Amino acid sequence: MSYANPSYPILSFLYALYSNDTAEKKKIRDNPRRAYREYHLSMQMADICNKTGREPGAKPTAGLADQIVALMRNELIAPPKGLMYDPRYANLQFPLLSLLYAVFADSAASPSRRPLDNKALAYFPNTGATVAALLEAGEGNALSPERLNTTLSALKTELLSPVYSPW
């Protein structure tokens, strides 16, 4: 299953790499150029992915994670209209990344989508600050610089955390 969303290319690509969907990860590893086109990645993000490597278990260095987070800043500034989430995208290894994907990049009209509220914390633990930031900003309004920086800092920590097989 492709997680591509042209409005949020980096977020959707990272979700695919960090998800438990081994078939999608294999598809990306086997034909990265096609995947970069499918996910609408910029040359800069594709270069970061190539530097990270495509072997199972590869993950970005701190410097590359800084670059990823800097590129994601523009995608996450303003929450989308209709603050909804789909609990099917929850991943307890990466709760913040999966929450962001479920709110921002999942545009499917699924019956399991729910309005974003504090009940989301049951599916995406330790994401209370981000949920509060999104709710405070409201639909389509920019996050405050402090809230955005806090979210991006937590995301960087998640990208660098030890896990079974992120990429």
Side-chain angles (χ1 to χ4, degrees), residues 28-117:
I28 292 168
R29 276 197 303 270
D30 290 349
N31 196 340
R33 286 187 183 182
R34 175 189 243 177
Y36 298 161
R37 280 192 306 274
E38 177 183 351
Y39 281 88
H40 306 277
L41 291 188
S42 66
M43 291 301 294
Q44 190 175 8
M45 186 62 193
D47 185 52
I48 291 168
C49 292
N50 288 332
K51 287 178 182 174
T52 300
R54 291 184 295 274
E55 296 303 313
K59 64 181 181 178
T61 62
L64 292 175
D66 283 336
Q67 291 178 39
I68 292 169
V69 167
L71 291 171
M72 283 190 67
R73 177 175 291 280
N74 290 336
E75 289 185 13
L76 302 179
I77 286 177
K81 290 187 173 31
L83 282 174
M84 305 278 285
Y85 73 97
D86 191 333
R88 294 178 303 159
Y89 294 108
N91 181 332
L92 295 178
Q93 286 183 308
F94 305 102
L96 181 56
L97 180 61
S98 57
L99 170 74
L100 292 172
Y101 180 81
V103 171
F104 282 82
D106 174 42
S107 58
S110 166
S112 59
R113 287 182 59 79
R114 303 168 184 181
L116 184 65
D117 57 18

